[in-house]
Amino acid sequence: MEIKREPLSDFRVRQLQARDMLRGDLEPEELERYAEEAVMTTTVDRAVAWARGNSFFPLTFGLACCAIEMISLVGMRTDIARFGWEAFRATPRQADLIILSGRVSIKMAPVIRRIYDQMLEPKWAISMGACCSSMGVFNNYSLVPADKFMPIDVHVPGCPPRPEALIHGILRLRDMVQGHAPDGWRERYDAVGTEEVLPEADTETAAINVYQPGDTAGA
Ligand code: SF4
């Protein structure tokens, strides 16, 4: 009868290495090699950043034609669930990302800014499409770029950007989060909110883009 010897699978080899290690039978060099292969060390900050970058809760929010491309992200073709970003939330208080997908009119800007202010830190924003970033193809006095009234972390160019382009922007944002960008937008951009710049007495006459606390106009 012929006896055929098969090589042990990787899994079995690792199992035996683990047993030897527990018994204290591994030589120092083997133990070192085993530790390099089997043990991963990290810090709490890195683990939190890794989890945060892979579990965004975007706000259910669309502005114009770009929104249709954004909505298709959750479909099976692009399937944003691969990156853990598919849980769109219906309230800003549960969302940590707003994707501005479409044209922003001057009338809409304070509403968007209020929604952004209602999101809890750390929060992030993507400007999707030419309109939102630069007013796009429109030579129109009623539109405003998003950077004029709120901090934007990633701009996705195009008219409209394809869902793949938005995914590229999303992955850039993930790199930013996992690269330990400061959590608060004020530290991130060395900026202050408009409401912190304008003295209380000037709000009657000055052009403001953020409503004062308690003012429900435009809500
Ligand atoms: S960038 Fe193009 S697709 Fe997007 S909102 Fe503007 S006109 Fe529409």
Side-chain angles (χ1 to χ4, degrees):
M1 187 177 108
E2 186 192 355
I3 296 176
K4 193 173 169 192
R5 293 187 181 276
E6 296 284 350
L8 289 174
S9 70
D10 276 358
F11 177 72
R12 181 70 179 139
V13 169
R14 270 184 272 158
Q15 210 176 21
L16 292 173
Q17 278 179 333
R19 191 193 63 189
D20 289 346
M21 187 194 68
L22 290 173
R23 283 179 177 165
D25 289 348
L26 282 185
E27 294 298 321
E29 306 82 52
E30 286 179 314
L31 181 60
E32 196 169 323
R33 197 170 63 242
Y34 177 78
E36 278 176 11
E37 287 172 1
V39 178
M40 188 183 80
T41 57
T42 187
T43 62
V44 173
D45 282 350
R46 287 174 72 94
V48 168
W50 175 85
R52 195 177 274 161
N54 287 295
S55 60
F56 268 91
F57 282 16
L59 185 66
T60 308
F61 180 78
L63 283 166
C65 9
C66 275
I68 305 301
E69 302 292 324
M70 183 192 73
I71 290 164
S72 71
L73 277 187
V74 292
M76 59 187 164
R77 183 180 165 88
T78 43
D79 191 13
I80 197 69
R82 292 176 292 160
F83 307 107
W85 292 53
E86 80 284 9
F88 279 74
R89 313 309 295 178
T91 165
R93 293 162 187 85
Q94 294 174 358
D96 55 4
L97 168 69
I98 182 169
I99 301 174
L100 298 179
S101 50
R103 299 172 291 279
V104 182
S105 66
I106 289 175
K107 196 170 181 182
M108 190 67 182
V111 180
I112 296 173
R113 179 56 199 252
R114 169 168 285 198
I115 291 172
Y116 182 75
D117 287 341
Q118 286 173 338
M119 292 162 58
L120 299 181
E121 300 272 12
K123 56 188 172 186
W124 311 82
I126 291 179
S127 166
M128 177 186 181
C131 284
C132 191
S133 300
S134 64
M135 303 192 302
V137 297
F138 300 100
N139 181 12
N140 191 321
Y141 61 85
S142 70
L143 300 184
V144 59
D147 296 88
K148 295 283 186 191
F149 61 89
M150 63 180 277
I152 298 292
D153 298 292
V154 173
H155 296 83
V156 180
C159 175
R162 287 177 58 89
E164 291 86 347
L166 183 54
I167 285 186
H168 180 77
I170 280 171
L171 294 181
R172 295 287 69 77
L173 181 58
R174 186 178 72 173
D175 291 346
M176 197 172 159
V177 172
Q178 295 183 345
H180 302 286
D183 287 344
W185 63 268
R186 290 172 176 77
E187 298 84 55
R188 209 151 63 228
Y189 299 108
D190 193 19
V192 291
T194 314
E195 67 280 24
E196 294 153 23
V197 176
L198 291 173
E200 193 83 18
D202 285 358
T203 54
E204 290 292 319
T205 52
I208 58 169
N209 55 28
V210 177
Y211 289 121
Q212 296 300 303
D215 185 349
T216 55

